[in-house]
Amino acid sequence: MMTLSAPTAQPATLRRLDTSNAATLVHLSATFEDLQTVLRCCERLVSALTPGDDPPDDVLIEAVWTTALLSYGRCFSYGRAGANLTENDLAATNLKGDLPDWHKVLLKLRDHYTSRTTNPRELFSVGLAQDPDGAANGIAITSARQPLVEDLAVRQTGAIALALSDMVNARITALQPKIFAEYKDTPKSELDKLPRFEVSDAP
């Protein structure tokens, strides 16, 4: 993927920038892509959860929901060079509802579905079976299936991701000309010292 800050022809050469602003733009772009992934996941989930003749595909729903939760959580990672989202950003969306509480629920669900030790979809128990006289006659394994994510939760998560996408996209748009201004008058001899990388025309 390549985006240009202003309408222009395909560049003959691209030089890699290694500045704090460039790093911020990298992380903002990654955050935007994660939010877009959340949106696509929510769209798939709404379709998958729509009542039909066949029962919901619980494997598909869990896989897509887990991807949405992972992508959402990364947007709030402090490892993204100051480009991470915060609860203040949630408030700035002006969406209705208790967003901080739902945000915390989403992060807890992320941890639940990515646990290394706990099965996220089913709770298992072992019981001792007794015959009619009360004598032990076997061992039983029981399980309780966890409910699938609900349509309302998916739609609420999608609405948050959409609002945050617009916010992050505005930050990307504002930062690009600032970075360009740092280099637009730099002599070619200096630009040629920057690392070069290839960009494919393929999508």
Side-chain angles (χ1 to χ4, degrees):
M1 180 185 73
M2 179 179 70
T3 59
L4 301 175
S5 59
T8 183
Q10 183 75 9
T13 305
L14 285 175
R15 301 288 177 178
R16 189 180 304 277
L17 299 180
D18 187 19
T19 65
S20 60
N21 277 339
T24 298
L25 186 56
V26 164
H27 292 300
L28 283 171
S29 300
T31 297
F32 181 80
E33 197 282 332
D34 267 328
L35 290 169
Q36 291 297 298
T37 296
V38 175
L39 279 171
R40 291 194 297 272
C41 286
C42 289
E43 290 171 356
R44 289 287 300 275
L45 287 167
V46 167
S47 176
L49 291 168
T50 299
D53 295 334
D54 297 323
D57 186 339
D58 55 348
V59 173
L60 172 66
I61 290 171
E62 180 186 337
V64 176
W65 183 230
T66 300
T67 298
L69 293 170
L70 285 168
S71 300
Y72 179 86
R74 274 194 299 269
C75 297
F76 294 83
S77 169
Y78 286 96
R80 286 195 162 171
N84 60 289
L85 296 172
T86 67
E87 289 191 20
N88 289 335
D89 294 318
L90 289 174
T93 64
N94 294 319
L95 292 173
K96 296 180 180 179
D98 197 343
L99 297 185
D101 280 351
W102 182 240
H103 167 73
K104 291 173 184 176
V105 167
L106 290 175
L107 295 184
K108 286 182 179 179
L109 285 171
R110 175 203 57 187
D111 294 341
H112 172 71
Y113 277 98
T114 58
S115 171
R116 294 184 179 182
T117 58
T118 303
N119 186 319
R121 73 194 63 87
E122 202 148 4
L123 297 176
F124 293 91
S125 301
V126 173
L128 179 66
Q130 294 176 283
D131 65 19
D133 296 325
N137 69 350
I139 295 296
I141 301 175
T142 65
S143 64
R145 190 75 177 178
Q146 299 298 299
L148 294 174
V149 61
E150 296 180 351
D151 179 84
L152 179 61
V154 171
R155 291 181 184 275
Q156 183 169 334
T157 303
I160 294 172
L162 178 59
L164 291 175
S165 290
D166 291 341
M167 181 182 297
V168 172
N169 186 54
R171 292 175 182 174
I172 290 172
T173 302
L175 186 54
Q176 283 180 301
K178 291 182 181 179
I179 297 175
F180 181 68
E182 297 173 6
Y183 288 92
K184 66 177 183 178
D185 296 323
T186 303
K188 179 181 181 300
S189 59
E190 292 299 314
L191 293 177
D192 287 346
K193 295 178 182 178
L194 296 172
R196 177 175 175 170
F197 62 93
E198 302 297 329
V199 175
S200 171
D201 291 333

